[in-house]
């Protein structure tokens, strides 16, 4: 029988090694992580080698020039996300206890929410009397809901409420709804702006991906008006949709209250309204009663700054 006592140091997780692994996994390469950390790739590689040796399994597979986490690596990444998020929260709490009060608001933004909408909703948070540290994460609706359920997020900005069928104790707070219009560059507007909406038949279109809540309504609008769109691209990321639109690749939908801003930022021309289609937005929280002043500011912004009443 082996009576050798376990080496306590060997049984402990080296959090510095884990942090280096986390940074590499996020960056996708040693070189990029090394640049962010101010270290050499050789140093980080050596630290990762020690971590893999300690746990007895590889954390990365090399695919081309990119490092892809293995199954063990994905498990480590999930835990590392929580560990270092808690570390940041601990640091904030200790600083507040030391006389530097600051609120923290961690917001999840679904990728289909327009960036201009997110900006208008979040900007008031930064002008509250309280000091607020705003942290934003973008992602898929289902993934963000899972993070909210385990309190990695304080609130989610989404284009749909939580489904009643989901077994999650989360609450949807309507922010409002807005009319939509079609927009295009000046050259496209000259060809497809007159005799709206019939002039849109056969026009090139950039549309939200089918996971966007408003997409089904847009398809029904086309059908009801006898318009056959020539769909150039279906885009999940709203910022990319606007960018493609600004490049003149196609007609694209956007919120009507943003007409002036779209003209200023993208030189976009409004072709006409998409009646009766409306885009809705929601703030989703883990609490029915809102207590965080930052979330209260988001709800107020939805009612006063951007949308028509829901």
């Amino acid at each position: 029988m082996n009576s050798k006592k376990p080496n306590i140091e060997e049984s402990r997780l080296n959090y510095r090694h884990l942090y280096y692994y986390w940074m590499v996994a996020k960056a996708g390469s040693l070189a990029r992580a090394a640049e962010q950390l101010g270290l050499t790739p050789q140093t980080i590689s050596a630290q990762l080698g020690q971590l893999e040796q300690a746990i007895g399994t590889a954390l990365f597979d090399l695919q081309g020039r990119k490092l892809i986490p293995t199954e063990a690596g994905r498990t480590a990444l999930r835990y590392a996300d929580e560990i270092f998020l808690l570390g940041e929260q601990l640091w904030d709490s200790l600083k507040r206890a030391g006389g530097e009060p600051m609120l923290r608001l961690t917001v999840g933004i679904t990728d289909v929410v327009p960036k201009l909408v997110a900006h208008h909703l979040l900007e008031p948070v930064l002008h509250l009397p309280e000091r607020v540290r705003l942290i934003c994460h973008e992602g898929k609706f289902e993934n963000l809901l899972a993070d909210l359920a385990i309190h990695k997020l304080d609130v989610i900005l989404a284009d749909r409420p939580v489904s009643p069928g989901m077994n999650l104790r989360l609450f949807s707070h309507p922010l409002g709804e807005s009319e939509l219009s079609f927009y295009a560059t000046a050259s496209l507007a000259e060809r497809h702006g007159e005799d709206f909406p019939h002039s849109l038949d056969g026009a090139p279109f950039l549309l939200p991906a089918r996971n966007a809540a408003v997409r089904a309504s847009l398809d029904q609008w086309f059908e009801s008006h006898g318009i056959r769109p020539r769909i150039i691209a279906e885009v999940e990321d709203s910022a990319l949709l606007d960018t493609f639109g600004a490049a003149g690749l196609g007609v694209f939908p956007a919120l009507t209250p943003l007409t002036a801003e779209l003209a200023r930022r993208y030189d976009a021309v409004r072709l006409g309204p998409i009646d009766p289609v409306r885009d809705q937005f929601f703030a989703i929280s883990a609490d029915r009663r809102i207590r965080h002043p930052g979330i209260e500011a988001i709800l107020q912004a939805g009612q006063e700054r951007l949308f028509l009443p829901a």
Side-chain angles (χ1 to χ4, degrees), residues 116 178-190 192-193 196 200 203-207 218 241-242 244-264 266-274:
L116 291 177
S178 177
E179 177 185 291
L180 285 168
S181 293
F182 280 123
Y183 296 84
T185 56
S187 59
L188 270 179
E190 287 181 8
H192 302 285
F196 179 92
L200 297 179
F205 274 89
L206 307 165
L207 296 177
L218 290 173
L241 182 69
D242 292 342
F244 282 170
L249 299 179
V251 178
F252 63 99
L255 300 184
T256 304
L258 298 177
T259 296
E261 196 158 359
L262 289 166
R264 185 172 64 254
Y266 303 115
D267 291 325
V269 177
R270 181 173 180 258
L271 302 181
I274 317 174

Side-chain angles (χ1 to χ4, degrees), residues 87-98 100 102:
E88 289 186 13
Q89 292 173 344
L90 171 61
W91 179 251
D92 288 346
S93 297
L94 292 175
K95 291 189 72 174
R96 288 198 299 271
E100 296 185 30
M102 177 177 287

Side-chain angles (χ1 to χ4, degrees), residues 190-213:
E190 287 181 8
R191 284 179 283 173
H192 302 285
E194 293 185 8
D195 193 26
F196 179 92
H198 307 292
S199 56
L200 297 179
D201 189 36
F205 274 89
L206 307 165
L207 296 177
R210 296 190 180 276
N211 64 329

Side-chain angles (χ1 to χ4, degrees), residues 228-249:
R228 295 159 297 178
R230 181 162 55 90
I231 300 175
I232 301 299
E234 299 176 271
V235 185
E236 286 189 345
D237 189 296
S238 58
L240 187 58
L241 182 69
D242 292 342
T243 301
F244 282 170
L249 299 179

Side-chain angles (χ1 to χ4, degrees), residues 265-309:
R265 289 174 178 258
Y266 303 115
D267 291 325
V269 177
R270 181 173 180 258
L271 302 181
I274 317 174
D275 289 329
V277 179
R278 297 287 187 271
D279 211 352
Q280 296 181 313
F281 297 93
F282 297 84
I284 302 172
S285 71
D287 298 309
R288 185 188 299 275
R289 183 179 178 184
I290 300 300
R291 298 180 178 87
H292 197 297
I295 302 178
E296 290 179 347
I298 290 171
L299 295 178
Q300 187 174 356
Q303 296 167 4
E304 298 179 356
R305 290 176 54 118
L306 188 61
F307 305 117
L308 300 173

Side-chain angles (χ1 to χ4, degrees), residues 40-226:
T40 66
Q42 293 78 9
T43 297
I44 296 178
S45 179
Q47 301 289 309
L48 289 179
Q50 292 179 38
L51 178 60
E52 290 179 329
Q53 184 177 6
I55 62 178
T57 188
L59 295 174
F60 286 113
D61 282 329
L62 184 61
Q63 295 183 10
R65 295 185 176 183
K66 192 169 184 180
L67 292 172
I68 305 297
T70 61
E71 183 176 350
R74 291 193 294 272
T75 299
L77 184 58
R78 287 196 301 271
Y79 280 100
D81 282 338
E82 296 187 34
I83 287 169
F84 295 117
L85 174 62
L86 286 172
E88 289 186 13
Q89 292 173 344
L90 171 61
W91 179 251
D92 288 346
S93 297
L94 292 175
K95 291 189 72 174
R96 288 198 299 271
E100 296 185 30
M102 177 177 287
L103 290 173
R104 178 191 183 98
L105 182 65
T106 307
V107 181
I109 306 170
T110 59
D111 46 15
V112 297
V113 171
K115 301 304 180 289
L116 291 177
V117 170
H119 169 258
H120 281 287
L121 291 172
L122 294 175
E123 185 182 19
V125 175
L126 301 177
H127 298 292
L128 289 170
E130 303 91 339
R131 294 177 60 208
V132 179
R133 181 181 179 189
L134 182 62
I135 301 168
C136 299
H137 298 280
E138 187 179 38
K140 304 293 183 188
F141 183 64
E142 293 77 10
N143 295 340
L144 294 176
L145 288 180
D147 287 343
L148 179 63
I150 60 173
H151 302 288
K152 288 177 67 174
L153 300 172
D154 296 308
V155 67
I156 295 172
L157 303 182
D159 66 337
R160 71 198 70 185
V162 179
S163 170
M166 286 189 175
N167 190 24
L168 295 172
R169 187 174 171 78
L170 301 175
F171 302 93
S172 302
H173 309 276
L175 291 170
E177 65 177 24
S178 177
E179 177 185 291
L180 285 168
S181 293
F182 280 123
Y183 296 84
T185 56
S187 59
L188 270 179
E190 287 181 8
R191 284 179 283 173
H192 302 285
E194 293 185 8
D195 193 26
F196 179 92
H198 307 292
S199 56
L200 297 179
D201 189 36
F205 274 89
L206 307 165
L207 296 177
R210 296 190 180 276
N211 64 329
V214 76
R215 177 58 190 275
S217 297
L218 290 173
D219 290 341
Q220 291 172 6
W221 187 89
F222 286 130
E223 185 176 354
S224 67
H225 288 80

